[in-house]
Amino acid sequence: MIVIKFGGTSVGDAQRVANAIDIVAERREQSPIVVVSALAGVTNELVAATEAARASDIDRVNQIIAAVRQRHEDVAMRLVQQKFDFFESFIKQLDKQIDQIHTILRGIALLGEITARARDKVIGLGEKLSSVLFAYSMMMRALPGEHVDSEEVVITDSRFGEAAPQMEETRAAAQRVLHPLIERRLIPVMGGFIGRTRDGATTTLGRGGSDYSAAVIGAAVGADEIQIWTDVDGMMTADPRLIPGARVIDRISYVEAAELAWFGAKVLHPKTIAPAVTQRIPVRVLNTHNVASPGTLITQEGDTRDSAGPRAVAVKRGITVVHMTSNRMLGAHGFLARLFAIFEELEVSVDLITTSEVSVSVTIDEKHNLQQLIERLKPVADVEVRENQCIVAIVGRNLMRDSMVGAKIFEAMRGIPTSMFSLGTSGLNLSIVADDADADRCVRAIHAALFESPVGVT
Ligand code: ADP
Ligand code: ASP
Ligand code: MG
């Protein structure tokens, strides 16, 4: 059994859906389960619809929803191949889903406010529609695609917008729903990104979360492999949009891939690796636009031929640095405990930390309520905040084994102002905090120094 996940651009239009279906057809003997994202751009449109509804701009809501509906109808129309009965059934399903979401949006527009629960219901629509479309499109091409409602399988907690799958219940549901289909040689097709709480409310797993869904479903069924099909040749030494000369990494370990994803390599959602690790399921990142390319294989061992040194550089933007100085005696004990109790209480997670005897600096991302955090910290510490920062992370196992690596990185950063450096104790990443405005130039300089120099380390 394998899980095949297609990202938004891989199902962006009729031609791409057709290509994706060919990819599934070629892997039919491996008992695939298909997980699809919303068609490219649709989730952003749905987010815009929730915002328009909150602003009671009903014309804009109607306009967005009509365009989303039309886009799905157009793709289905182009794929129909004389199978008009399938097309008509698809349109019925499409209208039913669209009507339901439209009613919710009209309710939001009337009240002028939105709950996290209603928001998830709306923004999860993209995956519902794309998965129904994909299953029908498979049937139109005489393949046994069977739509499965992800909400029947992926059971989550009730943190709307960032829900956590409950693995035991999800495993039981997968056993009940997916296994019988596979036994009948049908190909289940599910939407990524969405799940459901125990009491039946739709949840989403966080933006970009379809990768995570694929891994959760893969772990739930005990898949042999989880394939993430996207629009680049694999995990690369840097984001190829920023560094056109970035190279594909053919093998990488779970820990390295997870670290890269956490520090901003968007090609994988940061939570994707964890469910795979628990059962040692290999994850492969592949390119729908270049099927012949071998992609990146992510396993426990990673690259056994070359187990040390930098593998890639990633950047996480929109970071805030919070610098806290003890306003009591120097070296007073309990200072860190008091600070972190506040972070814990406000559920603020920290990426990087550096300390001196009297002060500590941490980075947090933009999702958190900064003002509230500052107010709560004030009685314990003098607080300075620096916004619009980025973290540039160089990732690789035994990163600093070769002392030239550190030298090259520091040399590359010459002339670029930085405010924090942190070498992870696992030796897995070196992170540098700089101004967001300098992010691109940092990545370019570091990539050039580590991966482009003629005798460079790779
Ligand atoms: P999908 O819609 O398939 O989920 P995403 O846009 O979420 O695709 O992720 C793929 C994108 O990730 C690529 O187009 C690329 O620009 C970006 N990316 C960022 N860092 C990396 C990296 N290190 N390797 C490969 N791609 C990366
Ligand atoms: N469609 C969702 C998003 O845009 C999930 C995903 O694409 O992975 O965030
Ligand atoms: Mg993605």
Side-chain angles (χ1 to χ4, degrees):
M1 223 183 307
I2 61 170
V3 174
I4 301 182
K5 178 260 170 177
F6 294 109
T9 48
S10 304
V11 290
D13 57 33
Q15 184 56 51
R16 290 190 169 148
V17 172
N19 289 348
I21 291 174
D22 290 343
I23 288 169
V24 177
E26 280 156 21
R27 285 155 187 78
R28 208 173 149 182
E29 290 313 309
Q30 291 171 277
S31 304
I33 297 171
V34 178
V35 175
V36 283
S37 292
L39 307 194
V42 166
T43 312
N44 287 346
E45 287 299 306
L46 294 167
V47 170
T50 60
E51 278 155 15
R54 185 160 42 186
S56 302
D57 185 350
I58 197 70
D59 290 343
R60 176 94 184 104
V61 169
N62 292 341
Q63 191 190 352
I64 295 172
I65 295 302
V68 166
R69 187 197 171 286
Q70 193 58 47
R71 183 145 166 225
H72 290 82
E73 180 175 334
D74 288 349
V75 173
M77 189 52 145
R78 291 210 173 84
L79 292 168
V80 65
Q81 295 187 337
Q82 316 300 328
K83 305 267 181 23
F84 286 107
D85 44 343
F86 285 136
F87 179 72
E88 275 163 18
S89 319
F90 170 67
I91 296 296
K92 268 194 202 135
Q93 286 263 359
L94 177 65
D95 283 335
K96 196 172 124 203
Q97 301 280 359
I98 291 274
D99 284 350
Q100 199 189 56
I101 296 304
H102 217 160
T103 308
I104 296 173
L105 284 165
R106 276 195 293 263
I108 297 166
L110 210 59
L111 295 171
E113 64 182 34
I114 184 168
T115 60
R117 193 181 176 114
R119 188 174 188 276
D120 268 7
K121 186 88 188 164
V122 175
I123 70 170
L125 175 69
E127 272 68 10
K128 286 203 167 179
L129 298 182
S130 64
S131 53
V132 174
L133 174 63
F134 201 95
Y136 272 105
S137 304
M138 282 177 71
M139 291 189 274
M140 291 174 200
R141 296 179 157 241
L143 275 169
E146 178 87 9
H147 183 258
V148 172
D149 204 340
S150 301
E151 292 157 299
E152 294 295 317
V153 176
V154 181
I155 311 300
T156 73
D157 65 8
S158 53
R159 277 184 78 140
F160 295 100
E162 201 73 44
Q166 307 297 295
M167 279 318 288
E168 254 177 52
E169 284 154 277
T170 300
R171 202 167 283 123
Q175 192 77 34
R176 194 177 62 246
V177 179
L178 296 175
H179 282 279
L181 299 178
I182 302 270
E183 270 159 31
R184 287 164 52 208
R185 301 195 45 79
L186 299 175
I187 303 176
V189 180
M190 308 171 65
F193 187 48
I194 44 181
R196 184 164 72 188
T197 62
R198 290 180 191 121
D199 59 3
T202 302
T203 50
T204 62
L205 311 189
R207 292 303 307 268
S210 293
D211 302 330
Y212 186 27
S213 299
V216 165
I217 293 162
V221 299
D224 299 308
E225 186 167 290
I226 297 160
Q227 299 186 347
I228 306 292
W229 287 83
T230 183
D231 60 357
V232 286
D233 277 345
M235 289 198 99
M236 305 177 84
T237 50
D239 185 345
R241 279 182 214 201
L242 184 57
I243 311 281
R247 295 202 304 263
V248 179
I249 301 168
D250 55 357
R251 282 168 169 268
I252 192 167
S253 63
Y254 288 135
V255 284
E256 290 167 311
E259 199 85 355
L260 269 176
W262 178 257
F263 283 107
K266 189 189 169 213
V267 63
L268 273 191
H269 184 276
K271 295 180 185 161
T272 310
I273 298 298
V277 172
T278 51
Q279 297 185 44
R280 300 271 198 276
I281 304 172
V283 177
R284 215 181 270 274
V285 181
L286 294 151
N287 189 354
T288 18
H289 312 316
N290 183 14
V291 181
S293 154
T296 299
L297 180 63
I298 309 169
T299 57
Q300 177 69 17
E301 306 74 33
D303 194 338
T304 46
R305 294 162 305 180
D306 173 20
S307 61
R311 307 305 305 277
V313 51
V315 60
K316 200 167 175 180
R317 297 166 205 263
I319 295 293
T320 299
V321 174
V322 183
H323 181 72
M324 296 156 286
T325 307
S326 172
N327 51 19
R328 299 211 187 143
M329 290 156 37
L330 287 187
H333 71 272
F335 175 54
L336 288 181
R338 277 196 291 277
L339 293 181
F340 286 114
I342 295 166
F343 281 81
E344 154 91 41
E345 182 197 323
L346 301 180
E347 296 185 7
V348 176
S349 51
V350 162
D351 282 334
L352 298 184
I353 305 183
T354 56
T355 58
S356 75
E357 194 192 359
V358 289
S359 66
V360 50
S361 297
V362 302
T363 65
I364 60 176
D365 63 32
E366 62 198 351
K367 281 186 297 210
H368 301 297
N369 183 341
L370 190 59
Q371 227 33 57
Q372 188 188 27
L373 177 68
I374 296 170
E375 286 312 313
R376 293 283 289 107
L377 288 170
K378 265 187 190 160
V380 187
D382 296 331
V383 183
E384 257 178 71
V385 169
R386 195 180 290 187
E387 291 181 84
N388 303 320
Q389 302 289 292
C390 69
I391 301 175
V392 176
I394 302 103
V395 171
R397 241 179 345 207
N398 297 317
L399 190 62
M400 306 300 265
R401 186 183 283 167
D402 176 353
S403 63
M404 280 311 289
V405 170
K408 285 184 178 190
I409 294 170
F410 282 96
E411 176 60 25
M413 294 300 292
R414 193 206 291 239
I416 305 178
T418 54
S419 57
M420 280 169 77
F421 279 91
S422 166
L423 177 64
T425 45
S426 57
L428 205 60
N429 88 70
L430 176 73
S431 305
I432 303 167
V433 177
D435 273 354
D436 230 342
D438 286 326
D440 292 2
R441 108 173 140 115
C442 287
V443 174
R444 285 201 187 98
I446 291 171
H447 193 272
L450 295 180
F451 303 109
E452 295 167 35
S453 59
V455 285
V457 246
T458 55

